[in-house]
Amino acid sequence: MILRCGRFSLALDRPLVMGVVNVTPDSFSDGGRFRDPEAAASHARRLAEEGADIIDLGGESTRPGAAPVSEEEEQHRVLPVLEKLPDLCISVDTRRPAVMKAALAAGASMINDIQALTEPYALEAVAATGCAVCLMHMKGEPATMQREPRYDDLIGEVKAFLKEAVRRVMFAGIGRDRIAVDPGFGFGKTPRHNMEILRRLPEFASLGVPVLAGLSRKSTIGHITGRPVEQRLAGSLAMALLALEQGAKILRVHDVKETRDVIAVWQAFKNES
Ligand code: 9MG
């Protein structure tokens, strides 16, 4: 299986690593460190050297309580970084069609949308390009999504949403080999929900596209271990290993080098069994 990301074709016979670069003053995990385009671009290069297949560049923090950012500001954060990285496979994490269009024109190869391209004109912004898309499930809106989220049938609901999202984007002309889905750990989900999704992640394989898992440094790890965000490396690596074992094909992570080691150990184990 291949994930087609614009001019890049990424083989899915081994897990892919998506390295996170937040160009925001207030992201939950690395708030403000990579605000300057030069610093963000050199961090992206470092992650690529450490083994990231894709760099996920985001200009809007989706942390509950984060300050809203205008479309202009989001573009102003992301585009200068993108332009410094023409040789890398860059995903842009955005919900806004205008940002998608500008990013794709500036060389982005993938759009990672926590709203699964549901904003009006989002499908049009990406369909005619060759970019890949990541369609994520989120219950509610970032500002309020963690206020007692409830589900009657967690897995059924998340899967049905993603199935419909895949159908919708394919109907718009996006081929299956350009699509990844993501159950959206932490997006309108309690720690208990997140663990149930992880336990039942193999059920998402029936959607017929690669599953991306984003668990790195998330609050569920803090909930389990009692650690603040800057001390969640071990928990994140444990989550990465669980996600691999449960069938995730793409891991969205902050700590690329360490995650690559986890993948190497997991693959060595698999090849011997
Ligand atoms: C932008 N962003 C933050 N967390 C994420 C996750 O878990 N998945 C995806 N696709 N994007 C995320």
Side-chain angles (χ1 to χ4, degrees):
M1 237 202 310
I2 290 276
L3 182 66
R4 269 203 316 122
C5 301
R7 59 195 186 282
F8 300 89
S9 280
L10 304 180
L12 288 156
D13 50 0
R14 61 167 182 85
L16 299 178
V17 173
M18 173 186 261
V20 178
V21 177
N22 289 311
V23 200
T24 56
D26 56 355
S27 102
F28 84 100
S29 54
D30 48 19
R33 278 178 64 208
F34 309 117
R35 228 179 141 174
D36 164 49
E38 204 60 63
S42 62
H43 184 60
R45 288 219 172 276
R46 205 185 93 200
L47 296 186
E49 280 160 20
E50 289 177 355
D53 302 284
I54 305 167
I55 299 296
D56 193 35
L57 206 55
E60 181 199 19
S61 172
T62 47
R63 176 177 62 80
V69 57
S70 70
E71 193 168 284
E72 292 68 32
E73 176 61 20
E74 193 183 342
Q75 289 196 30
H76 181 70
R77 289 177 185 177
V78 167
L79 296 184
V81 186
L82 190 51
E83 281 155 10
K84 288 179 192 299
L85 304 166
D87 50 323
L88 299 187
C89 181
I90 305 289
S91 157
V92 172
D93 148 29
T94 184
R95 315 189 259 173
R96 291 188 163 125
V99 179
M100 293 174 192
K101 267 192 168 172
L104 292 167
S109 300
M110 181 168 186
I111 296 297
N112 172 27
D113 184 359
I114 62 166
Q115 279 182 203
L117 303 177
T118 51
E119 199 66 22
Y121 305 109
L123 276 176
E124 289 83 344
V126 300
T129 75
C131 76
V133 295
C134 178
L135 308 172
M136 200 194 79
H137 174 270
M138 168 169 65
K139 185 162 181 127
E141 268 290 307
T144 53
M145 65 191 176
Q146 290 308 98
R147 291 190 199 148
E148 296 189 44
R150 284 179 206 283
Y151 297 82
D152 291 328
D153 171 11
L154 171 67
I155 303 300
E157 216 175 290
V158 175
K159 256 188 86 175
F161 173 87
L162 293 176
K163 187 173 176 188
E164 170 56 19
V166 170
R167 192 204 60 77
R168 202 167 36 83
V169 304
M170 287 187 71
F171 189 72
I174 298 175
R176 196 174 277 284
D177 58 355
R178 289 172 56 195
I179 305 171
V181 290
D182 181 342
F185 292 102
F187 284 83
K189 283 126 190 146
T190 62
R192 190 182 284 268
H193 292 142
N194 290 325
M195 293 315 274
E196 184 177 349
I197 292 172
L198 193 51
R199 226 173 274 124
R200 295 181 59 185
L201 205 62
E203 295 176 37
F204 289 78
S206 63
L207 295 171
V209 293
V211 174
L212 183 150
L215 287 147
S216 175
R217 299 187 187 173
K218 288 212 169 148
S219 62
T220 290
I221 299 170
H223 178 84
I224 296 167
T225 62
R227 304 269 181 217
V229 68
E230 65 281 5
Q231 292 176 27
R232 293 182 190 159
L233 175 59
S236 299
L237 298 178
M239 288 294 201
L241 183 61
L242 290 169
L244 290 172
E245 198 54 25
Q246 297 296 86
K249 300 285 185 238
I250 309 171
L251 302 177
R252 182 181 183 275
V253 303
H254 300 84
D255 303 289
V256 169
K257 178 164 59 90
E258 295 84 352
T259 306
R260 274 266 158 244
D261 285 355
V262 169
I263 293 173
V265 170
W266 178 76
Q267 282 182 312
F269 171 74
K270 283 289 199 210
N271 292 340
E272 284 301 310
S273 58

